[in-house]
Amino acid sequence: LIVIAIFYKSITLYVKWPPEDTEMRTIILAIIVSLTTYFVHAFLNNFLDTDKAAVPIWGMCAMIIALEIRLTEMTEVKRL
């Protein structure tokens, strides 16, 4: 369930991000691809038990949330 929420938020963030900011869109896409790779491999092996593998994944999830907050602030500034 949490995996679906992570992918939903990250893909909608990629779609909503302004197309002219290609650098940030590339970073968001890289996060999506790395999370996809991790969860595909985690389907075969449980990586969340090892701290070395779990920390970057939760860090990328935090980046998605932080970028979503930044996008919300950017759109509020444009409205004013």
Side-chain angles (χ1 to χ4, degrees), residues 16-30:
K16 290 179 184 178
W17 202 269
E20 52 275 354
D21 191 3
T22 58
E23 182 179 337
M24 193 57 69
R25 284 177 64 98
T26 304
I27 292 172
I28 295 168
L29 187 60

Side-chain angles (χ1 to χ4, degrees), residues 2-64:
I2 193 166
V3 175
I4 294 169
I6 291 168
F7 280 114
Y8 175 77
K9 284 293 188 182
S10 59
I11 291 170
T12 55
L13 178 66
Y14 179 78
V15 171
K16 290 179 184 178
W17 202 269
E20 52 275 354
D21 191 3
T22 58
E23 182 179 337
M24 193 57 69
R25 284 177 64 98
T26 304
I27 292 172
I28 295 168
L29 187 60
I31 292 171
I32 293 170
V33 169
S34 62
L35 286 171
T36 303
T37 303
Y38 177 81
F39 287 121
V40 166
H41 284 93
F43 181 71
L44 301 172
N45 298 329
N46 189 7
F47 294 144
L48 284 177
D49 291 339
T50 59
D51 295 336
K52 293 177 185 177
V55 171
I57 296 305
W58 294 117
M60 282 188 272
C61 294
M63 283 189 266
I64 291 292

